[in-house]
Amino acid sequence: MCIAAPAQIIEIKDNVATVDFGGVRQQAKLDLVEDANVGRYVLVHSGYAIEVLSDEEAQESLEAWDELLKIMEEDAEEFES
């Protein structure tokens, strides 16, 4: 299964963006997308931005990730008990 994660573009240099995943930063190539600008959210998979998200799509995606992480934390706590 492949999962793309939403990240906000912090900086762009030579068609490579520095993106932020809730405090974790990494590089993502922008070869596969158009209209990627600083401040926009993109879906990142394997070091490539694969889609530029609208503000609404970004919010929905971030909420879904937050919910997934919450469930994973609850499962981990249950497993440790």
Side-chain angles (χ1 to χ4, degrees):
M1 172 175 38
C2 298
I3 297 177
Q8 187 174 31
I9 298 173
I10 303 301
E11 177 182 36
I12 298 174
K13 184 184 259 184
D14 297 329
N15 211 40
V16 176
T18 299
V19 296
D20 186 304
F21 295 94
V24 176
R25 293 184 178 188
Q26 78 173 49
Q27 305 296 303
K29 294 181 181 180
L30 300 174
D31 300 338
L32 304 177
V33 296
E34 295 179 7
D35 299 327
N37 299 308
V38 171
R40 297 292 305 269
Y41 280 85
V42 291
L43 287 179
V44 178
H45 175 69
S46 298
Y48 283 87
I50 60 171
E51 183 177 348
V52 178
L53 301 173
S54 69
D55 291 341
E56 183 178 311
E57 291 170 324
Q59 186 62 37
E60 289 174 5
S61 185
L62 291 169
E63 289 172 3
W65 274 95
D66 286 343
E67 184 64 25
L68 176 61
L69 293 174
K70 181 180 174 184
I71 290 168
M72 291 174 65
E73 285 177 10
E74 290 170 357
D75 286 350
E77 289 173 4
E78 211 173 284
F79 181 73
E80 292 174 358
S81 300

